[in-house]
Amino acid sequence: MNNDDRSSRPLSASRRLFLQRTSLLTGMIALGGGSYLYNPKGVWAAAPIKVGIATDLTGAISWGGIPNSQVAKMVIDQINKGGGLLGRPLQMILEDTATNEQLAVTKVRKLVTQDKVDVVFGGITSSMRNAIKDTIVNRGKTLYIYPQLYEGKECTPYLFCTGPTPAQQCDTLIPWLIKNGGKKFYLPSADYVWPHTLNAYARKAIVKNGGEVIGEEYFPVDHNEYSATVNKIMSSGVNVVFNTTIPPGVAAFFKQLYEAGFLKNGGRLSCVYYDENAITITPPHEVEGLASCLDYFRAINDPFGNQLQAEYGKLFGNTSYNAGSGSTGMYRGIKLWEAAVKEAKSVNREPVAAALDHAKISDGPGGGCEMVPGTRHVKMNMYTAVSKGGKYEIVEKSKGPVMPGECA
Amino acid sequence: MTIIPFLFDVLAYSAIFVLVVLGLGVIASMMGIFNFAHGEFVLLGAYTVYLFIDNGLPVWAGMVAAPLAVGAVGLALERVAIRRFYATPIVAMLGTYAIGLALRETVRSLLGGQFYSVTAPLIGSFSIGEISVSRWRTAVILITVAVMVGCYLLLTRTRFGLQVRAALENPALARASGISTSRVYAATFAFGAALAGLAGGLMVPIYAMSADMGVPFLIKSFLAVMLGGMGSFEGAIAGAALVGATSAALPWAIKPVVADVVVFIIAIAIVKVRPEGLLSKWRN
Amino acid sequence: MSQSTELSTSSLPLRKVIPWVELGLLATSLILPVFADDFWTLFLTRVFILGLLALSFDLVWGYAGILSFSQALFFGMAGYCTALLATEAGITSVLVLLPVAGLVGLIVSLILAFIVILGRRVPTTVFVALGTLTGSYVVERLARGWSYVGGQNGIPSLPRLTLGNHEIAEGVWFYYMALAILLGIYVALKFLTRSQLGLVLAGIRQHETRITFFGYRVQHVKGIVFALAGLIAGLAGGMYAFHEGYVGPGQLSPVLSTQVVLYVLFGGVGTLIGAVIGAGMIEYLSFMLSQEYQRLWPIILGLLLLVIVMFRPTGLIGFLVSDRERIGSFGRPDDAAAKNDTDKNPA
């Protein structure tokens, strides 16, 4: 068979095309490509302070990452409108970590080595935080602020956490649950670090308050069949189901629990990551009476929170604003960092970290908050809320800010 | 008395799984390609129902529309892309993987990355003594049985069904006998997609609507097809029933995390020992 | 190796393009750190490591006809084992960790080979694909659930590799080390595929039964090749973990395994250099697309891959080289694939 003839003529044409494309790509490499650079508006005398935001804009966690990035943009624009920081504007550089730890490391590397940002905010899941923290903090020698509710125990120097910890979520909630639900608890959970660690803390709190843990079970996150567990719950007189299964499995679990009649029999459901956005995952009747404990709910109805929410809504329309996390934690993180930079009068890591260690802000979603010195975690107000007809009602506010109880 | 919830649980999950696998199995047996986008067909069925609800239309209408819509999408994909892959099954795997990726991410951005709940057409449960049995899940079982019976009748009583069965058992001979395999393939692919779409539409009130809802089905479905044996309708059902039942039953006895893994190991072991599957009609 | 001896009506002599591509890429790689910034040096180091992983797949698929969806399994397991050695036992010497990584890859691949590939009955391509995919899936699920290895979080904050007293920091040092290893393995594979073993592999790829009747121990050959590919993948995995500074279940997942298959198909099967080019191109494309289209880039990537798979199944390298040179004179992998399937599943 004569293949040579067919291939030698188009060869030169496609080879030329290939070379053209290569030189174009080489050009792009040299220029560094594009990225999502949010330049400060207006004319400024001084060079910008670079703020890196690394969050999941695509992939399974995009529901959290997109609000994160939007809150960050809103706050940074607010700061710039107010004259910037130390007379310099803030420039936001946004990178998508794509819920893919492999890709995330490269993105974060870009922020730290190529863009040379002065601080990085981001990461949502603990696995993402663990994947990128080394590149930022050790290899990149940059400050890292993690805004999400998580399991605690993150005590890496120069890594500050502004989301609720297990202690904050359980210390006020568990006593309330025992008073308003019952003494017998069941802990159905997703099988990864956060539920394990949260359950360990919750168990201690439950026992301390006179309750009893009937069972603790772990499932893969996409597990759909919970009949065995529901059966156990119904037959052992459990009063409170302290749930830490997460989407997608949680929808099936709540439905199967409801259909077995748990709520009808007076059972109380509790889920500490269920904020006003998560509640849409399940129909209202399946989560009637669900108790959650977070740092913010729209239902708090305080003027500062309302105004923030309104501004966010004006800029970003119908997109969600997540509590306990990204949105509130991101707000807190950026404002605390701003306060620290003002105190340190510099953006270098050492002085800012020292100032951030005891930074406080007087206003924020759910109220002001303050870093607990030496721990790199934030003490904040916690609110217990109950779902009625698909909407949250605040039933208890913590008496003052709750300690995070981490890295003491 | 826990035997009733247990059996019901197993039956309910297997019913959905059978619908998903049947579509995949028929495509794999006839065209020899493993459709890596099959999970996304399930997703599209669920998404159709979600769209109906989001626009204020009744949910049952969405469920009727789901197989039709996904069947149409399947047909379009087959005409445009899939038909190029019939000669090279390996390329087919990756081509369908790329299609699945594009579909999944498109739905994800349309959903804004969120999870949504969809209420079933039949809410609540009816009681047998102390036990509550979900109304909708019962309906799903009945619908699946009806669809199986319908498929069986279609395959055995119609001329088209005869052509499909011929092409399934021995594609080369079918072509030699003058059956237009091109049309049969297109119809079969659309049919497989429609089944997946129906499964997605039926399951979305039970599980939440999200862009990743089709992913867990994929590998398990492939194993079910191999286990049941390629080349026949009954094979796919048998494989799906076996894998589905094991997946639903094992977590009652052992930890769910381990159960998940054990199902795969059992399936692979069986296929290794009996490569043609349990009910294969292919002459090997 | 037989050269073209057929009559050609073309006036151009048939030139071999691949060696020029190889030399060109090598020359560019050697001098790149001089004028590229730190980020791109780091980016390319990662590409070299992933290219090595892709090479392991090209070896088993392009040359031996084993469709393995588990190369990432060996990659990840080697990463985990070396990470544990570094964090639990304090061993960071590159002279210990990299060979251990290769060894882990070798052992795991042999185990998987016994389960999925070897045995009295010759498995179908589909079974091998599904079996390896399942293996990868099962191990990932287990890794996600096992707290000793960090569960979903994996093992973070790994120390750097050391050579004596010097740390091999990511950057120029790591770049040249990765390049050297890639080059070494590449040259070794080139020799392998041109050796007697390579001819046997070509025969197996084209018609396994026939080669068995010639008296070759096909099972042994397949096992050897699969184990060798496992070793290479493991080596890459060890490097990757320490370059990125962490190891996680994503590194042994079916997603990464499928990505490797895409790398090689994109670049061009059966050419070795195609695997490396494919890895580089897809990584670069993913990165650039996600910069330009932050929310939509996965859709665009999926569509792009689909278009390439539909219209250019021979991969990027097919733009440059003739079919003949792409597969040498060993036959055509695509036809072999279809033929293998018809041999094993007479339909």
Side-chain angles (χ1 to χ4, degrees):
Chain A
M1 272 299 289
N2 200 335
N3 298 323
D4 309 326
D5 191 26
R6 166 167 62 86
S7 44
S8 55
R9 243 180 300 122
L11 197 61
S12 27
S14 44
R15 200 191 300 191
R16 225 180 296 140
L17 194 59
F18 182 79
L19 289 174
Q20 262 175 17
R21 291 201 190 120
T22 324
S23 40
L24 177 67
L25 287 174
T26 325
M28 280 174 81
I29 294 180
L31 290 172
S35 74
Y36 266 43
L37 252 151
Y38 291 94
N39 278 311
K41 297 194 184 65
V43 185
W44 295 81
I49 299 176
K50 298 191 188 166
V51 177
I53 311 282
T55 191
D56 299 316
L57 300 173
T58 58
I61 309 286
S62 56
W63 54 265
I66 296 178
N68 264 26
S69 64
Q70 289 172 172
V71 169
K73 175 114 202 344
M74 179 175 85
V75 177
I76 287 177
D77 280 344
Q78 277 178 358
I79 297 178
N80 279 340
K81 245 187 282 221
L85 193 52
L86 302 181
R88 299 165 65 180
L90 293 182
Q91 182 189 58
M92 174 170 133
I93 306 175
L94 178 63
E95 291 295 338
D96 176 23
T97 46
T99 320
N100 181 334
E101 284 80 4
Q102 268 78 271
L103 289 176
V105 174
T106 303
K107 294 313 194 68
V108 163
R109 238 184 221 142
K110 171 186 173 292
L111 285 176
V112 159
T113 51
Q114 198 176 52
D115 298 317
K116 298 204 188 358
V117 296
D118 298 298
V119 62
V120 176
F121 292 85
I124 295 182
T125 57
S126 288
S127 59
M128 184 60 73
R129 183 188 76 248
N130 275 303
I132 62 179
K133 70 180 181 188
D134 200 59
T135 306
I136 304 173
V137 170
N138 291 336
R139 299 175 183 212
K141 307 233 177 311
T142 308
L143 200 59
Y144 176 23
I145 299 179
Y146 173 66
Q148 184 77 14
L149 88 79
Y150 81 120
E151 68 274 5
K153 305 208 186 330
E154 179 61 71
C155 299
T156 310
Y158 305 108
L159 207 176
F160 291 78
C161 304
T162 58
T165 57
Q168 286 165 323
Q169 295 198 287
C170 293
D171 281 347
T172 42
L173 179 64
I174 302 283
W176 187 92
L177 280 175
I178 292 189
K179 223 184 336 174
N180 294 282
K183 289 201 168 33
K184 295 193 170 169
F185 280 68
Y186 203 89
L187 276 43
S189 325
D191 192 22
Y192 68 106
V193 182
W194 177 64
H196 278 276
T197 320
L198 182 68
N199 282 345
Y201 192 95
R203 195 180 264 268
K204 271 194 296 203
I206 291 170
V207 168
K208 195 167 78 162
N209 284 283
E212 179 192 351
V213 176
I214 305 283
E216 188 177 337
E217 256 191 281
Y218 292 92
F219 305 92
V221 298
D222 50 13
H223 193 75
N224 280 326
E225 296 303 311
Y226 295 92
S227 302
T229 308
V230 169
N231 217 2
K232 262 180 257 177
I233 292 174
M234 296 306 290
S235 57
S236 34
V238 165
N239 307 116
V240 181
V241 169
F242 187 79
N243 169 72
T244 41
T245 60
I246 63 173
V250 68
F253 174 58
F254 282 176
K255 177 167 290 309
Q256 284 162 33
L257 192 62
Y258 171 78
E259 280 164 356
F262 178 70
L263 293 175
K264 242 186 311 183
N265 290 348
R268 168 79 66 189
L269 203 47
S270 178
C271 184
V272 293
Y273 67 85
Y274 245 49
D275 63 356
E276 274 145 336
N277 295 296
I279 204 138
T280 58
I281 302 174
T282 38
H285 59 266
E286 286 172 12
V287 292
E288 189 67 22
L290 181 146
S292 176
C293 184
L294 287 167
D295 52 340
Y296 175 74
F297 291 94
R298 249 164 287 185
I300 297 174
N301 217 358
D302 74 298
F304 189 84
N306 290 345
Q307 189 203 18
L308 207 59
Q309 193 82 67
E311 245 185 85
Y312 181 85
K314 221 183 334 166
L315 289 169
F316 302 110
N318 232 357
T319 52
S320 58
Y321 179 87
N322 300 329
S325 68
S327 307
T328 52
M330 179 66 84
Y331 181 89
R332 232 173 264 135
I334 299 184
K335 294 305 270 183
L336 284 169
W337 174 76
E338 181 197 17
V341 170
K342 281 196 184 131
E343 183 190 316
K345 298 201 193 1
S346 147
V347 283
N348 292 330
R349 184 164 85 152
E350 285 305 322
V352 176
L356 191 53
D357 196 48
H358 53 261
K360 73 191 282 196
I361 54 176
S362 50
D363 258 327
C369 64
E370 187 178 342
M371 276 282 180
V372 179
T375 66
R376 290 178 294 279
H377 284 77
V378 175
K379 64 180 181 192
M380 61 186 96
N381 295 325
M382 296 300 289
Y383 299 83
T384 308
V386 166
S387 166
K388 298 222 170 88
K391 286 201 163 347
Y392 273 116
E393 262 178 39
I394 309 291
V395 294
E396 193 178 85
K397 176 183 164 172
S398 64
K399 303 183 191 47
V402 181
M403 292 295 278
E406 296 292 333
C407 308
Chain B
M1 274 306 267
T2 54
I3 192 79
I4 294 194
F6 171 73
L7 283 178
F8 182 76
D9 188 30
V10 170
L11 205 56
Y13 181 73
S14 303
I16 298 230
F17 195 61
V18 164
L19 274 181
V20 175
V21 173
L22 192 58
L24 184 69
V26 170
I27 294 173
S29 305
M30 188 176 300
M31 284 92 95
I33 59 178
F34 274 78
N35 178 20
F36 269 63
H38 203 72
E40 275 64 51
F41 287 157
V42 172
L43 172 66
L44 284 179
Y47 187 64
T48 310
V49 173
Y50 170 74
L51 275 182
F52 267 63
I53 292 196
D54 208 34
N55 285 301
L57 298 167
V59 69
W60 60 264
M63 292 189 180
V64 169
L68 298 172
V70 182
V73 170
L75 186 64
L77 279 173
E78 199 270 345
R79 292 281 101 179
V80 169
I82 312 279
R83 60 187 13 230
R84 295 167 194 273
F85 300 145
Y86 292 147
T88 48
I90 315 304
V91 178
M93 280 188 194
L94 292 168
T96 48
Y97 177 81
I99 293 175
L101 177 64
L103 283 174
R104 186 169 63 243
E105 296 303 322
T106 309
V107 174
R108 196 193 304 281
S109 40
L110 288 171
L111 287 177
Q114 302 271 29
F115 293 85
Y116 291 99
S117 71
V118 169
T119 342
L122 302 172
I123 311 181
S125 40
F126 50 88
S127 323
I128 304 180
E130 267 187 11
I131 307 185
S132 307
V133 160
S134 158
R135 284 212 189 112
W136 177 242
R137 299 185 86 192
T138 317
V140 169
I141 297 178
L142 296 174
I143 294 176
T144 307
V145 171
V147 169
M148 295 291 106
V149 170
C151 287
Y152 179 74
L153 291 176
L154 182 76
L155 282 180
T156 51
R157 300 289 156 87
T158 66
R159 182 185 161 79
F160 175 71
L162 186 63
Q163 292 183 335
V164 169
R165 274 187 296 138
L168 259 183
E169 272 190 42
N170 201 328
L173 194 56
R175 236 170 298 150
S177 312
I179 296 175
S180 161
T181 41
S182 155
R183 256 194 304 146
V184 171
Y185 283 9
T188 313
F189 194 84
F191 181 65
L195 279 176
L198 179 65
L202 292 177
M203 81 169 72
V204 70
I206 309 179
Y207 314 134
M209 164 88 234
S210 79
D212 297 300
M213 63 188 288
V215 175
F217 283 102
L218 201 64
I219 302 187
K220 237 185 240 187
S221 306
F222 288 159
L223 282 177
V225 170
M226 291 213 76
L227 189 64
M230 302 217 264
S232 74
F233 179 76
E234 303 86 62
I237 297 185
L242 197 59
V243 173
T246 325
S247 295
L250 275 181
W252 285 74
I254 57 183
K255 276 171 38 169
V257 196
V258 180
D260 194 42
V261 164
V262 166
V263 172
F264 283 84
I265 296 181
I266 293 179
I268 276 286
I270 297 182
V271 178
K272 171 99 180 153
V273 164
R274 199 182 152 82
E276 62 278 12
L278 298 172
L279 297 177
S280 175
K281 285 214 189 127
W282 274 6
R283 270 147 270 238
N284 238 353
Chain C
M1 249 206 48
S2 62
Q3 296 293 325
S4 156
T5 50
E6 287 152 323
L7 288 174
S8 164
T9 56
S10 155
S11 55
L12 290 168
L14 183 69
R15 282 173 37 221
K16 298 188 78 60
V17 178
I18 287 188
W20 290 107
V21 174
E22 291 170 346
L23 279 174
L25 287 173
L26 179 63
T28 325
S29 314
L30 282 171
I31 55 176
L32 201 97
V34 173
F35 55 83
D37 68 22
D38 289 339
F39 172 68
W40 289 108
T41 307
L42 291 167
F43 188 86
L44 275 173
T45 316
R46 198 168 157 267
V47 166
F48 291 157
I49 299 174
L50 289 171
L52 193 60
L53 179 60
L55 271 184
S56 78
F57 178 75
D58 198 19
L59 181 64
V60 287
W61 173 236
Y63 289 93
I66 303 170
L67 185 57
S68 157
F69 273 93
S70 62
Q71 296 308 105
L73 172 62
F74 317 135
F75 181 83
M77 286 216 66
Y80 266 99
C81 291
T82 47
L84 282 171
L85 277 178
T87 52
E88 304 277 314
I91 303 175
T92 54
S93 168
V94 68
L95 298 171
V96 174
L97 289 181
L98 288 189
V100 167
L103 194 65
V104 170
L106 184 79
I107 295 175
V108 179
S109 62
L110 274 175
I111 297 175
L112 193 63
F114 271 112
I115 301 174
V116 179
I117 300 175
L118 306 176
R120 243 179 313 131
R121 262 182 289 203
V122 174
T124 62
T125 314
V126 171
F127 177 74
V128 171
L130 277 185
T132 50
L133 189 61
T134 305
S136 191
Y137 180 83
V138 162
V139 175
E140 187 205 3
R141 294 298 271 220
L142 291 174
R144 277 187 194 275
W146 192 13
S147 57
Y148 176 65
V149 295
Q152 275 192 317
N153 293 353
I155 306 174
S157 305
L158 297 178
R160 290 197 171 107
L161 289 173
T162 54
L163 184 63
N165 280 332
H166 302 286
E167 272 194 347
I168 303 181
E170 65 283 0
V172 182
W173 274 98
F174 214 113
Y175 178 94
Y176 282 115
M177 178 181 87
L179 181 58
I181 294 179
L182 177 65
L183 195 61
I185 303 267
Y186 187 87
V187 169
L189 287 180
K190 276 257 157 184
F191 274 115
L192 183 80
T193 53
R194 272 151 179 63
S195 68
Q196 280 295 96
L197 184 63
L199 278 171
V200 176
L201 286 177
I204 293 174
R205 196 176 64 232
Q206 275 208 303
H207 203 310
E208 191 165 326
T209 332
R210 193 188 293 153
I211 291 294
T212 321
F213 283 136
F214 279 149
Y216 286 98
R217 303 273 195 99
V218 172
Q219 302 291 54
H220 287 201
V221 172
K222 276 189 172 171
I224 291 174
V225 171
F226 197 73
L228 188 60
L231 184 144
I232 298 173
L235 193 58
M239 281 201 284
Y240 191 84
F242 288 92
H243 186 255
E244 303 291 279
Y246 84 104
V247 72
Q251 284 168 24
L252 35 74
S253 65
V255 175
L256 184 58
S257 288
T258 315
Q259 216 169 302
V260 173
V261 177
L262 278 168
Y263 287 162
V264 177
L265 243 92
F266 195 78
V269 184
T271 55
L272 292 183
I273 194 69
V276 181
I277 292 179
M281 282 307 299
I282 291 193
E283 285 300 308
Y284 182 70
L285 260 176
S286 302
F287 181 74
M288 280 319 195
L289 280 176
S290 87
Q291 299 292 91
E292 292 301 325
Y293 305 100
Q294 283 203 320
R295 305 243 194 119
L296 298 177
W297 70 270
I299 304 176
I300 300 177
L301 187 67
L303 289 174
L304 202 63
L305 288 174
L306 178 64
V307 166
I308 299 272
V309 168
M310 270 168 62
F311 295 111
R312 200 84 209 178
T314 54
L316 284 183
I317 206 84
F319 281 115
L320 280 186
V321 300
S322 66
D323 281 338
R324 188 174 191 80
E325 189 188 347
R326 185 169 61 83
I327 320 134
S329 29
F330 289 158
R332 314 166 82 87
D334 289 328
D335 287 20
K339 203 154 185 283
N340 265 345
D341 283 344
T342 44
D343 282 343
K344 285 157 190 164
N345 291 320

